[in-house]
Amino acid sequence: MPNASYIVLIPLLPLAGFALLGLFGRRYIKGFAGVLGTSFVLVSTALALYVAWQYFSISLPQGHFKQTVPLNLNWLTFSPGLSIDMSIILDPISVMMIVVVTLISLLVHTFSLGYMKGETRYATYYAFLNLFTFSMLGLVLSGNLFETYIFWELVGCSSFLLIGFYFDRPTAVAAAKKAFIVTRFADLGFLVGILILSFHADTLDIHTLIQRLTQPGPQLTNITTASFLGISALSWGLVLVFVGGAGKSAMFPLHIWLPDAMEGPTPVSALIHAATMVVAGVYLVARLYPVYAHAGPAVLQVVLYVGALSALLAAIIACTQTDIKRVLAYSTMSQIGYMMFALGAHGYTASMFHLFTHAFFKALLFLCAGVIIHRVHSNEMKDMGALRKLLPLTHACFLIACLAISGIPPFSGFFSKEDILLAAWNSNKLVYAVGLFTSGLTAFYMFRLYFSVFWGRPTHEAGAHPGHHPETPFTEKLPLVILALGALSAGWIPFSRFVTADGKPEPAHGVSVFAIAPVALALIGIATAAYLYRKETERPQRAAAAFKGFYQFAYHKFYIDEVYTFITKKIIFNGIGRPAAWIDKNIVDGLMNLLATITARIAAGIKGIQSGKVQDYTLYFFAGIVGLAVLFIYLYT
């Protein structure tokens, strides 16, 4: 069993990097900030890989997994059964996640050494990256729900700092605030869900809570019999926890923050979309998956349909976007939707497998996008074209990532997508059809992006002199090559033998006849994209015109942002906020002002009593005596 002392170091090393760089980076170690921050994450990655090797190769006698390694440090105790323990949980998904988070973070740190060189706030950038890594590692290792919530909010805070890194740009500030505010509403649901589940389970410890809410006992009886609006407390708690996950993972209708989050540095986008914030919601649902599965089909149906709708909606929007990072952002939303509906379809292992493979090809796509943007100084696809000769390594890596996300064998995405579609086929044929159609759309919009960037006619100034500029420095090339190898080979890992819902190995799914339909649709999508975008023609405009209003509808993201704006400005601000402000100003403040005015006038009227003249006080004294005499005569005669 892995030793507790160095497991704790995995998240603490990035925290130490954040503290050191945050306090002394800009003044004393600015030139070495990148190397120092990367070194902390490098050691953390080595420890995570060592823990994973120990856990999966040594700690698994007879093919069964150790579910937890409690490292309890009691913090607060509310009752004999309810306490907050700062503990670490090790099970297959937490071990898998620490490997994903540290490895992707290390590659992003390394890539940023060259990409962010020369930035004014270079040390601050690396401090924030270290904080983000610490927050996500703390989240996946938390053994207590309240501890999970602490790191959950730290992940949100870290993303706010990095999305708004260029705080001198109004768009970046607005994007950071939008992400923070939208996820706050979702996090309220998560907090209420935690309170419901922990109250009825009489524990905040994740492992104990899962046991009590999945096995017969008084806690399970109480939470299933207690109800509100005809829905059990267990179902309410799980749905509210999912709301928190849907906010972080940008599921419909809480997805509106994700495309705007592209205002941050491109390597940050790679970290957010591949290994941290966006996958946190999937991890949260997976962490409590035994309870979701035990709660009955109703709750998982919510997860299933929200995930499927998000996957389809994002794929349609991605087909119309022209900003390279926004295309990739909606791609992430679609792929996270895949993971969510896989969980809803009882495809726990398939969902975690896709999270694992997705980390490689999505980080690769964003880092390649960073190289492209640096070269052409634009995010718009219209400013790109014919870059395959100018950026040969980036071209090869981007192509590998596109084939992987499209589900083309033998790339990694093929294996995990096949498992997800198989789970959907066995659970819900409608969702399977949505997933199958979405897989074809994915191939289309990714190769629409590929052909627009690397083929066609060059529209950028650098394209005229390809030999004058090196493609990228070594610190950028190395992460691209490693991620490309991961996108090629990660699918061949016998994942189902290690990461399962109940700790028992499952037989691995090999290539089967079932894969023919998704691969065929993916090839059709690629061929369609090649026909429309490989050469510069009028075909894309004619295709868009053929769909008429629907294309514009999708291009404007189905006007969901406008609906939110209408609700907030016209209904909440104008219909509720302004009347509330009027009541506060005219009634509440007016009442207080009236009382103050009355008091002031009374004071002005009687202040003459305190004149300081002895003659006046003598007069008042005798007047009082006369008044009392008159009163007593009246009362007793």
Side-chain angles (χ1 to χ4, degrees):
M1 184 60 61
N3 189 288
S5 60
Y6 56 78
I7 296 172
V8 175
L9 288 176
I10 295 173
L12 289 185
L13 283 168
L15 177 62
F18 163 69
L20 190 61
L21 293 171
L23 292 173
F24 308 109
R26 296 188 67 180
R27 179 171 295 182
Y28 300 108
I29 50 178
K30 182 177 180 181
F32 302 98
V35 175
L36 189 62
T38 304
S39 299
F40 280 109
V41 179
L42 175 62
V43 178
S44 186
T45 304
L47 288 174
L49 291 170
Y50 181 62
V51 167
W53 174 76
Q54 275 198 314
Y55 187 87
F56 289 121
S57 65
I58 298 174
S59 302
L60 305 179
Q62 301 177 355
H64 290 267
F65 301 127
K66 302 277 186 182
Q67 289 299 312
T68 58
V69 179
L71 305 170
N72 295 321
L73 175 63
N74 185 265
W75 180 27
L76 295 173
T77 300
F78 302 105
S79 67
L82 187 62
S83 64
I84 298 176
D85 301 322
M86 303 303 286
S87 60
I88 287 177
I89 185 169
L90 279 190
D91 63 1
I93 61 167
S94 65
V95 175
M96 180 269 290
M97 285 299 298
I98 62 173
V99 172
V100 169
V101 174
T102 55
L103 183 58
I104 299 301
S105 179
L106 174 62
L107 296 175
V108 168
H109 275 73
T110 305
F111 184 88
S112 299
L113 289 172
Y115 191 86
M116 297 297 290
K117 187 177 181 180
E119 287 284 347
T120 305
R121 301 171 68 226
Y122 184 69
T124 304
Y125 170 80
Y126 270 95
F128 290 166
L129 275 188
N130 272 236
L131 176 64
F132 208 173
T133 306
F134 160 71
S135 303
M136 191 64 190
L137 287 171
L139 172 63
V140 301
L141 288 172
S142 296
N144 183 287
L145 275 178
F146 193 81
E147 183 186 357
T148 301
Y149 188 76
I150 293 172
F151 285 107
W152 186 266
E153 295 303 322
L154 270 176
V155 168
C157 177
S158 305
S159 66
F160 172 82
L161 294 172
L162 285 167
I163 293 169
F165 179 75
Y166 297 116
F167 62 89
D168 54 340
R169 302 176 186 174
T171 53
V173 174
K177 289 193 296 183
K178 188 175 184 180
F180 195 77
I181 293 169
V182 171
T183 54
R184 288 295 70 71
F185 284 102
D187 292 350
L188 175 62
F190 180 27
L191 178 59
V192 176
I194 288 175
L195 296 176
I196 293 173
L197 296 179
S198 61
F199 173 79
H200 287 281
D202 199 26
T203 184
L204 284 162
D205 179 76
I206 292 174
H207 186 51
T208 306
L209 181 140
I210 291 173
Q211 285 183 328
R212 292 179 179 177
L213 298 185
T214 55
Q215 297 176 5
Q219 290 88 2
L220 181 60
T221 302
N222 291 338
I223 198 170
T224 52
T225 54
S227 65
F228 177 68
L229 298 178
I231 302 173
S232 71
L234 178 61
S235 297
W236 275 116
L238 292 174
V239 168
L240 288 170
V241 168
F242 171 66
V243 168
K248 276 285 191 291
S249 290
M251 294 289 93
F252 176 85
L254 299 171
H255 65 282
I256 57 171
W257 65 268
L258 188 62
D260 296 279
M262 298 301 98
E263 292 293 335
T266 303
V268 170
S269 301
L271 191 58
I272 289 176
H273 288 251
T276 51
M277 185 173 178
V278 179
V279 300
V282 179
Y283 175 80
L284 177 65
V285 177
R287 167 56 63 212
L288 296 176
Y289 179 77
V291 186
Y292 277 92
H294 188 79
V299 177
L300 282 180
Q301 289 293 303
V302 175
V303 180
L304 178 73
Y305 285 112
V306 169
L309 179 59
S310 300
L312 177 61
L313 193 71
I316 293 173
I317 296 174
C319 292
T320 65
Q321 299 303 295
T322 58
D323 183 310
I324 182 172
K325 290 177 69 175
R326 287 179 179 264
V327 173
L328 297 180
Y330 281 109
S331 166
T332 299
M333 177 183 167
S334 184
Q335 297 305 304
I336 297 295
Y338 260 91
M339 300 172 205
M340 282 294 192
F341 82 67
L343 289 171
H346 300 277
Y348 173 91
T349 304
S351 177
M352 293 299 97
F353 192 17
H354 197 56
L355 188 155
F356 181 74
T357 61
H358 175 264
F360 291 98
F361 56 72
K362 184 49 59 70
L364 181 57
L365 285 167
F366 269 106
L367 295 186
C368 287
V371 175
I372 295 164
I373 291 168
H374 252 199
R375 180 50 58 94
V376 302
H377 306 291
S378 173
N379 288 22
E380 288 294 324
M381 293 159 55
K382 65 180 176 59
D383 298 324
M384 304 169 188
L387 286 172
R388 65 188 186 280
K389 294 181 180 179
L390 183 64
L391 304 171
L393 177 64
T394 305
H395 167 247
C397 292
F398 199 90
L399 178 58
I400 289 171
C402 287
L403 290 169
I405 195 174
S406 300
I408 302 298
F411 299 91
S412 59
F414 163 74
F415 298 96
S416 53
K417 271 194 174 182
E418 183 193 5
D419 281 359
I420 288 177
L421 291 173
L422 181 60
W425 172 265
N426 293 329
S427 176
N428 188 303
K429 298 298 188 293
L430 174 61
V431 171
Y432 167 76
V434 170
L436 188 63
F437 178 65
T438 303
S439 70
L441 285 181
T442 302
F444 170 75
Y445 69 69
M446 286 309 305
F447 275 87
R448 167 182 176 263
L449 180 60
Y450 165 75
F451 287 118
S452 298
V453 172
F454 292 103
W455 294 76
R457 182 176 60 84
T459 57
H460 45 89
E461 184 179 341
H465 307 286
H468 289 183
H469 306 279
E471 181 172 359
T472 54
F474 177 76
T475 55
E476 293 182 26
K477 289 180 180 178
L478 181 61
L480 295 184
V481 172
I482 294 174
L483 288 170
L485 292 174
L488 277 167
S489 60
W492 294 95
I493 296 174
F495 198 81
S496 57
R497 291 186 56 81
F498 300 108
V499 181
T500 60
D502 55 7
K504 298 179 181 179
E506 295 178 359
H509 299 296
V511 180
S512 64
V513 177
F514 185 82
I516 293 176
V519 172
L521 272 179
L523 292 175
I524 292 172
I526 293 171
T528 305
Y531 175 75
L532 293 174
Y533 297 99
R534 188 173 180 273
K535 295 180 179 180
E536 187 174 357
T537 65
E538 296 296 322
R539 292 169 184 168
Q541 290 75 13
R542 291 200 297 267
F547 287 95
K548 296 181 180 178
F550 183 77
Y551 179 87
Q552 288 299 320
F553 199 45
Y555 177 77
H556 290 96
K557 299 166 284 188
F558 297 106
Y559 296 97
I560 296 173
D561 282 81
E562 287 75 8
V563 171
Y564 273 106
T565 302
F566 175 81
I567 292 173
T568 53
K569 289 188 176 181
K570 300 296 184 181
I571 297 178
I572 296 178
F573 292 165
N574 293 342
I576 300 175
R578 285 188 177 179
W582 185 90
I583 292 171
D584 181 65
K585 181 178 180 180
N586 294 279
I587 296 180
V588 178
D589 289 353
L591 179 60
M592 295 299 103
N593 293 336
L594 177 62
L595 290 175
T597 301
I598 293 172
T599 303
R601 289 184 178 180
I602 293 174
I606 66 174
K607 68 181 180 181
I609 297 175
Q610 300 291 333
S611 64
K613 297 179 180 180
V614 176
Q615 299 91 327
D616 291 343
Y617 296 160
T618 304
L619 179 63
Y620 299 151
F621 176 75
F622 282 110
I625 292 175
V626 172
L628 289 172
V630 172
L631 178 64
F632 281 116
I633 292 171
Y634 176 77
L635 291 175
Y636 294 103
T637 58

